[in-house]
Amino acid sequence: MEYEPVIGLEVHAQLKTDSKLFCGCSTRFGKEPNANTCPVCLGMPGVLPVLNRKVVQYTVMMGLATNCRIAGESIFARKNYFYPDLPKGYQISQYEAPICEDGWVEIKANGEARRIGITRIHMEEDAGKLVHEGAFDSSHSSFVDLNRACVPLMEIVSEPDIRSPEEAGAYMRKLRDIVIYLGICDGNMEEGSLRCDANISIRPRGSDTFGTRAEIKNMNSFRFLQAALEYEFERQVDLIRDDGHVVQETRLFDSNRGVTSSMRSKEEAHDYRYFPEPDLVPLRIGPDWVEQVRQSLPESRDEKIGRYVGEMKLSEYDAQVLTSDPVTARFFENVVRGGAKPKAASNWVMGEFMRLVKEAGVEAAKITPEQVAHIIMLVETQAISGSAAKAVFEQVFDTGQDPDRVVKEQGLAQVSDEGAIREEVQRVLDDHPDDVARFRAGKQKVLGFLVGQVMKATKGKANPKLVNEILRELLSK
Amino acid sequence: MKITPELVEHVANLARLELSGEEKERMEDQLGKILEYIGLLDELDISDVPPTSHVIDVHNVFREDEVKESLPVGKGLANAPERAGTAFKVPRIIEG
C-alpha cells in the first residue's frame, strides 16, 4: 500500500517591536543575563501586564495578509505549567477567541498551486532561556536568563493540508516572505526569530481519515524542516508496514544525525488547564481598525512579482531574484523611479549591485538608486561605454561619489568624436599591414583583433560602435 | 465531576505539591465540598449565556511600544536563593 503524509505546521514568529509584549523592557538581544527584566516579566507578585498596541497591529496585519477573519472580540488565556524559564508558572497566550481565524495562503510546489488553510493566528509571550552548566550529562545546575521572557510572539497554526515535505518547505517560505515584507518579523530561522513545530501522520494515499500524529520540534532551517519530515514519514511508514503503530508523542529532530527521536515526556505534564487571563481585559477590534490596518498593508512579494512581470515586462526569474528581499526590491523600484528602463535597471541591480552587496554586505553600499539610474543613462546616451560604466558603478558603490565626477576624474568619458576615432583607426591600420591584407583576403575574424587594437590605443574610451563602422569603411576602400 | 483520590494526586502533581496520605484525604473531602457548592449553579439554565471571561466592561487597554528602563542589573535577583553572575541558578533541568 502507498502512504501519504498529512502535515500541519505551528510557526512562531518573533514580532519586531522595541519593547516586550506586556512591559516596557527592551527586546534587544546581546545584553548580559536578566538585564532586560522588570517586575512584570520576572513574574513578581502584584504586577499587572499591559498589552503592547503594536503587537495587536502586527498580528492583525498578518491575519489580513493571510486572508483570515479578524475576531471582533478576542481574549488572552493562561497556559499553566512549571518550568524555570517561565517565572509566573504560566504563559500568557490565547486559547479560546484568538485574534485571527480561518485564513489561507497559496503555495507553489512541484509546479502546482495549492491553498494551505490557516486555522488560527494568536499572540503569546516567549519564555526565558535556560543554559545548562558544563557537560549536559554531568551538570548539576541550569542558569536562567529572562531577557527573552515576555518578548512578543505570533503563532500561526495551519490546517493539516500539507501533503509533502516540499510543500511544508514552500509553506514555510511563503510565511517568511509575508512577515518580512510586512516588516513585522526579521524571518531569521537560524537565530530563532522564526521557528516551526510540525505535526505529521500518515494514511493510505487517497484516504480521508487521519492517523496518529507525532509532533516534531527543533527544526531551525528550511532544510532541516524537510529532512525531519522526510525521515519521520519513512519512520511511520516502516512502523505501520511492520504491523506496529505510531505513538502520539513529541519528537526532537537531531540535525547532525538526520533523525527524530522521542522526547519521552510524561503526557500528564501537558495538562495546561487554560483559563481566561483575568489581568488583561478583552480586546475589541472594530471594522474601522481592521480597515485602517488593511489600508496600511505594504505590497506583498507576490503582488510585486505580478507587477514586475505584468507592467514592467520582466521575466518571472528576474522578478523572483529582485524580490528575494524587500531591500533589493525597493532599491530596484527606486532605480526605475529615477528614470531607468525596468529591464536595464533589473540588469544592473541583479548584476553589479547584487554582486557587490554579496561581496561587501549591504551596509557597504553607498550608491543611491538615483546614481544607478544616472549611470544607466550615461551608458544609454553613449557618454560612457558598458565596461567603463562597471568601473564607475563600483567606485560609486564604495564611495557614494557623484558618477559624473568619477567619469571625469578617471577620464572614462567615451570618445564619440568621429574625427579622432578615424585618426586612431588609420594609425592602427598603418601599423598592421599584414592583418589588413589577411582581412581583405577574406579572414573576417581579423576585424575583432583590429577593433581590440583601436580600443587599446584609446584606453577603452572609443565608442565601439563607431570604431566598428569606421574600420569597415576604411577596410573596404 | 467527582473528586477521586487519583484526581487529587494528579492535581497535586501538576502543582508540584507533595501531600501525605492524611492530607490527600483531607483535600479530597474539601475539594469535593467546594465543587458540590459550586454545583448549585448547575440548577440555572445558562444555555443562552456566553461564558463570562471578565466581569467589568472594559476593553482595549494598551501601552505604546516604548522602551522603559528595566530594573538595575541584578536587582531582580535579590531574592534568588542562588545565582551565577546575573543569571538565576536552579537545579539542573531535564525535559520530561
mmCIF file of all heavy atoms in Angstrom, chain A residues 10-29:
data_model
loop_
_atom_site.group_PDB
_atom_site.id
_atom_site.type_symbol
_atom_site.label_atom_id
_atom_site.label_comp_id
_atom_site.label_asym_id
_atom_site.label_seq_id
_atom_site.Cartn_x
_atom_site.Cartn_y
_atom_site.Cartn_z
ATOM 1 N N GLU A 10 3.002 24.489 13.048
ATOM 2 C CA GLU A 10 2.795 25.578 14.003
ATOM 3 C C GLU A 10 4.043 26.443 13.934
ATOM 4 O O GLU A 10 5.129 25.995 14.271
ATOM 5 C CB GLU A 10 2.637 25.030 15.424
ATOM 6 C CG GLU A 10 1.330 24.283 15.630
ATOM 7 C CD GLU A 10 1.285 23.533 16.949
ATOM 8 O OE1 GLU A 10 2.111 23.835 17.843
ATOM 9 O OE2 GLU A 10 0.438 22.636 17.077
ATOM 10 N N VAL A 11 3.867 27.666 13.459
ATOM 11 C CA VAL A 11 5.018 28.535 13.254
ATOM 12 C C VAL A 11 4.980 29.677 14.266
ATOM 13 O O VAL A 11 3.943 30.316 14.442
ATOM 14 C CB VAL A 11 5.013 29.107 11.826
ATOM 15 C CG1 VAL A 11 6.146 30.102 11.631
ATOM 16 C CG2 VAL A 11 5.122 27.971 10.816
ATOM 17 N N HIS A 12 6.100 29.885 14.936
ATOM 18 C CA HIS A 12 6.220 31.008 15.863
ATOM 19 C C HIS A 12 7.091 32.078 15.234
ATOM 20 O O HIS A 12 8.207 31.789 14.796
ATOM 21 C CB HIS A 12 6.882 30.574 17.179
ATOM 22 C CG HIS A 12 5.966 29.781 18.058
ATOM 23 N ND1 HIS A 12 5.884 28.422 17.999
ATOM 24 C CD2 HIS A 12 5.089 30.181 19.008
ATOM 25 C CE1 HIS A 12 4.993 28.001 18.877
ATOM 26 N NE2 HIS A 12 4.484 29.046 19.506
ATOM 27 N N ALA A 13 6.567 33.302 15.171
ATOM 28 C CA ALA A 13 7.341 34.410 14.626
ATOM 29 C C ALA A 13 7.530 35.450 15.719
ATOM 30 O O ALA A 13 6.558 35.873 16.344
ATOM 31 C CB ALA A 13 6.617 35.022 13.433
ATOM 32 N N GLN A 14 8.787 35.824 15.936
ATOM 33 C CA GLN A 14 9.034 36.870 16.923
ATOM 34 C C GLN A 14 8.761 38.228 16.285
ATOM 35 O O GLN A 14 9.325 38.564 15.253
ATOM 36 C CB GLN A 14 10.474 36.808 17.415
ATOM 37 C CG GLN A 14 10.701 37.759 18.568
ATOM 38 C CD GLN A 14 12.160 37.979 18.858
ATOM 39 O OE1 GLN A 14 12.953 37.045 18.816
ATOM 40 N NE2 GLN A 14 12.520 39.216 19.148
ATOM 41 N N LEU A 15 7.882 39.001 16.901
ATOM 42 C CA LEU A 15 7.489 40.276 16.305
ATOM 43 C C LEU A 15 8.542 41.346 16.572
ATOM 44 O O LEU A 15 9.129 41.410 17.650
ATOM 45 C CB LEU A 15 6.120 40.689 16.843
ATOM 46 C CG LEU A 15 4.998 39.742 16.388
ATOM 47 C CD1 LEU A 15 3.701 40.031 17.123
ATOM 48 C CD2 LEU A 15 4.793 39.844 14.884
ATOM 49 N N LYS A 16 8.742 42.197 15.555
ATOM 50 C CA LYS A 16 9.808 43.209 15.610
ATOM 51 C C LYS A 16 9.335 44.464 16.357
ATOM 52 O O LYS A 16 9.118 45.497 15.755
ATOM 53 C CB LYS A 16 10.202 43.584 14.184
ATOM 54 C CG LYS A 16 11.541 43.054 13.804
ATOM 55 C CD LYS A 16 12.024 43.294 12.409
ATOM 56 C CE LYS A 16 11.545 44.387 11.553
ATOM 57 N NZ LYS A 16 12.072 44.308 10.187
ATOM 58 N N THR A 17 9.187 44.352 17.650
ATOM 59 C CA THR A 17 8.821 45.532 18.439
ATOM 60 C C THR A 17 10.050 45.983 19.223
ATOM 61 O O THR A 17 10.994 45.219 19.389
ATOM 62 C CB THR A 17 7.700 45.205 19.435
ATOM 63 O OG1 THR A 17 8.138 44.129 20.278
ATOM 64 C CG2 THR A 17 6.417 44.795 18.723
ATOM 65 N N ASP A 18 10.008 47.216 19.730
ATOM 66 C CA ASP A 18 11.111 47.705 20.556
ATOM 67 C C ASP A 18 10.987 47.171 21.984
ATOM 68 O O ASP A 18 11.972 46.852 22.622
ATOM 69 C CB ASP A 18 11.105 49.238 20.602
ATOM 70 C CG ASP A 18 11.414 49.838 19.241
ATOM 71 O OD1 ASP A 18 12.153 49.186 18.465
ATOM 72 O OD2 ASP A 18 10.918 50.932 18.948
ATOM 73 N N SER A 19 9.734 47.122 22.483
ATOM 74 C CA SER A 19 9.527 46.710 23.872
ATOM 75 C C SER A 19 8.768 45.390 23.909
ATOM 76 O O SER A 19 8.229 44.925 22.906
ATOM 77 C CB SER A 19 8.765 47.795 24.630
ATOM 78 O OG SER A 19 7.457 47.942 24.113
ATOM 79 N N LYS A 20 8.729 44.792 25.104
ATOM 80 C CA LYS A 20 8.125 43.464 25.256
ATOM 81 C C LYS A 20 6.596 43.514 25.137
ATOM 82 O O LYS A 20 6.004 44.574 24.983
ATOM 83 C CB LYS A 20 8.549 42.873 26.601
ATOM 84 C CG LYS A 20 10.046 42.524 26.665
ATOM 85 C CD LYS A 20 10.391 41.803 27.961
ATOM 86 C CE LYS A 20 11.870 41.403 27.988
ATOM 87 N NZ LYS A 20 12.208 40.684 29.240
ATOM 88 N N LEU A 21 5.998 42.331 25.216
ATOM 89 C CA LEU A 21 4.554 42.220 24.999
ATOM 90 C C LEU A 21 3.734 42.928 26.079
ATOM 91 O O LEU A 21 2.753 43.603 25.789
ATOM 92 C CB LEU A 21 4.189 40.722 24.930
ATOM 93 C CG LEU A 21 2.728 40.327 24.688
ATOM 94 C CD1 LEU A 21 2.127 41.028 23.498
ATOM 95 C CD2 LEU A 21 2.648 38.809 24.502
ATOM 96 N N PHE A 22 4.154 42.773 27.331
ATOM 97 C CA PHE A 22 3.337 43.318 28.423
ATOM 98 C C PHE A 22 4.078 44.294 29.326
ATOM 99 O O PHE A 22 3.572 44.676 30.378
ATOM 100 C CB PHE A 22 2.773 42.179 29.279
ATOM 101 C CG PHE A 22 1.904 41.224 28.515
ATOM 102 C CD1 PHE A 22 2.217 39.877 28.445
ATOM 103 C CD2 PHE A 22 0.768 41.682 27.850
ATOM 104 C CE1 PHE A 22 1.416 38.995 27.744
ATOM 105 C CE2 PHE A 22 -0.041 40.801 27.139
ATOM 106 C CZ PHE A 22 0.286 39.453 27.085
ATOM 107 N N CYS A 23 5.318 44.659 28.981
ATOM 108 C CA CYS A 23 6.052 45.634 29.800
ATOM 109 C C CYS A 23 7.009 46.409 28.897
ATOM 110 O O CYS A 23 7.176 46.076 27.729
ATOM 111 C CB CYS A 23 6.811 44.948 30.942
ATOM 112 S SG CYS A 23 8.116 43.847 30.392
ATOM 113 N N GLY A 24 7.643 47.429 29.459
ATOM 114 C CA GLY A 24 8.473 48.315 28.646
ATOM 115 C C GLY A 24 9.919 47.866 28.504
ATOM 116 O O GLY A 24 10.749 48.619 27.988
ATOM 117 N N CYS A 25 10.257 46.654 28.937
ATOM 118 C CA CYS A 25 11.644 46.204 28.795
ATOM 119 C C CYS A 25 12.000 46.044 27.316
ATOM 120 O O CYS A 25 11.157 45.682 26.498
ATOM 121 C CB CYS A 25 11.842 44.871 29.511
ATOM 122 S SG CYS A 25 11.813 45.028 31.299
ATOM 123 N N SER A 26 13.270 46.284 27.009
ATOM 124 C CA SER A 26 13.733 46.195 25.635
ATOM 125 C C SER A 26 13.739 44.748 25.150
ATOM 126 O O SER A 26 13.988 43.818 25.913
ATOM 127 C CB SER A 26 15.146 46.772 25.547
ATOM 128 O OG SER A 26 15.712 46.460 24.296
ATOM 129 N N THR A 27 13.471 44.565 23.848
ATOM 130 C CA THR A 27 13.516 43.230 23.257
ATOM 131 C C THR A 27 14.879 42.933 22.642
ATOM 132 O O THR A 27 15.078 41.902 22.032
ATOM 133 C CB THR A 27 12.470 43.110 22.130
ATOM 134 O OG1 THR A 27 12.693 44.179 21.211
ATOM 135 C CG2 THR A 27 11.066 43.207 22.678
ATOM 136 N N ARG A 28 15.831 43.870 22.797
ATOM 137 C CA ARG A 28 17.121 43.703 22.137
ATOM 138 C C ARG A 28 17.942 42.571 22.764
ATOM 139 O O ARG A 28 17.942 42.398 23.979
ATOM 140 C CB ARG A 28 17.908 45.004 22.197
ATOM 141 C CG ARG A 28 18.574 45.287 20.886
ATOM 142 C CD ARG A 28 18.796 46.753 20.567
ATOM 143 N NE ARG A 28 18.772 47.611 21.720
ATOM 144 C CZ ARG A 28 19.828 48.241 22.195
ATOM 145 N NH1 ARG A 28 20.999 48.085 21.633
ATOM 146 N NH2 ARG A 28 19.714 49.045 23.222
ATOM 147 N N PHE A 29 18.618 41.828 21.920
ATOM 148 C CA PHE A 29 19.441 40.719 22.405
ATOM 149 C C PHE A 29 20.849 41.190 22.721
ATOM 150 O O PHE A 29 21.210 42.319 22.441
ATOM 151 C CB PHE A 29 19.516 39.612 21.347
ATOM 152 C CG PHE A 29 18.244 38.832 21.222
ATOM 153 C CD1 PHE A 29 17.989 38.067 20.111
ATOM 154 C CD2 PHE A 29 17.293 38.871 22.236
ATOM 155 C CE1 PHE A 29 16.805 37.347 19.989
ATOM 156 C CE2 PHE A 29 16.109 38.150 22.141
ATOM 157 C CZ PHE A 29 15.883 37.393 20.997
#
